[in-house]
Structure formats: structure tokens, C-alpha cells
Amino acid sequence: MSPFPYSPFGTEILIHDIVSTMQGLKGWEERYRQVILWGKCLPEMPNELKSEQVKVTGCESLVWLVSTNINGFWYFCADSDARIVRGLIALVLTPFDGKTSQQIQMFDIDGFFKELGLVSHLSPSRGNGLKAIVEQIKQITFEK
């Protein structure tokens, strides 16, 4: 069980559900709104967890990421000061939260983002920020 305020989607929404929802939307405007809605589902990170040590570098917006490993499974809590970034964080955490290091390292996050049709519509700075979040998760969980 996650020590953090739980995954933004609980256990009932799977990666496939997210992909199918995004693929069923018409145009980037609808997808953008959906990402923001998912960001609203992301539990707020308690202020006491937000510090310079857990800030993700490489993001234009403020992004904080904390993690813990319980019995070989990784759990994450992340937050941002930007609505769209909160939604992107929710999408990033879905395939990683509650997984082992090996599952995290082997997950094809680029393929997942490609299926969502997201990356080509993000500004270069948002795209770089998204990559920075993923890289920090992979670095944290690498061989631990």
C-alpha cells in the first residue's frame, strides 16, 4: 500500500484505459482538457514534502517528486505549480507507481506517450520537463 496519497487513478484505471480515452478524443484541445482533468485527480503533495532536495531539475514549472521503496515496490508522490504539468505527472505516475525497479526500467514510456499522441503537441520546454520527470524516476529506481 502506498504511503503517499495514492495514485491519481486508484487501481481501477489501467494504462490501456488512458490510451483508449486519449485516442477517442478529437483533436489536441480535447486531449489537453483531459490531461488537465487527470491533473485535478492527482492528490496534492503535502507542503512539508516540498523542498529544494526533491525539486525536479529541467522543468520550467516547479515540480517536486518524492519516492519510497516498500518491499521492492516503488511509490511516488509528485506535484507541480502548473495545471497541465500536474496532468502530465498523473500520466507518468500511472505506469510507475507500485512497480518494481525492473518493471519501471523496462516500461516503454516513449511508446506510451506516442500512443497518447502527446509529445508532438507539447512545447519543447514542456517536453523536456516531461523527460526530466521520467529520467528522475528511472534514476531513483535504477538497481535499488
Side-chain angles (χ1 to χ4, degrees):
M1 180 85 130
S2 174
F4 300 121
Y6 309 106
S7 155
F9 302 114
T11 55
E12 65 280 352
I13 289 195
L14 303 173
I15 293 165
H16 171 53
D17 297 326
I18 293 169
V19 170
S20 136
T21 297
M22 289 294 278
Q23 289 177 346
L25 297 173
K26 295 179 180 110
W28 173 240
E29 291 288 322
E30 284 186 28
R31 288 183 176 142
Y32 186 83
R33 276 194 291 278
Q34 183 60 56
V35 171
I36 289 173
L37 286 173
W38 281 328
K40 289 179 180 181
C41 296
L42 185 70
E44 263 190 57
M45 177 185 276
N47 284 331
E48 59 270 14
L49 293 180
K50 295 178 183 177
S51 69
E52 283 298 313
Q53 293 87 350
V54 299
K55 266 174 70 176
V56 177
T57 56
C59 293
E60 193 172 288
S61 305
L62 291 174
V63 175
W64 302 272
L65 173 70
V66 294
S67 62
T68 190
N69 186 301
I70 300 174
N71 298 324
F73 294 93
W74 286 97
Y75 298 94
F76 302 93
C77 183
D79 205 350
S80 175
D81 63 338
R83 292 181 323 168
I84 187 68
V85 177
R86 281 181 57 81
L88 295 171
I89 288 168
L91 294 175
V92 168
L93 294 185
T94 299
F96 294 148
D97 199 54
K99 301 295 189 297
T100 66
S101 293
Q102 183 179 13
Q103 289 170 314
I104 291 168
Q105 298 300 323
M106 295 192 64
F107 184 77
D108 180 10
I109 194 75
D110 293 329
F112 176 56
F113 290 145
K114 188 175 180 178
E115 281 187 274
L116 295 178
L118 273 181
V119 179
S120 61
H121 295 286
L122 296 176
S123 68
S125 62
R126 288 253 198 275
N128 289 338
L130 188 60
K131 289 176 188 169
I133 296 165
V134 170
E135 284 309 309
Q136 188 155 335
I137 289 171
K138 290 201 173 211
Q139 185 178 19
I140 289 167
T141 61
F142 186 71
E143 292 197 26
K144 290 190 180 182

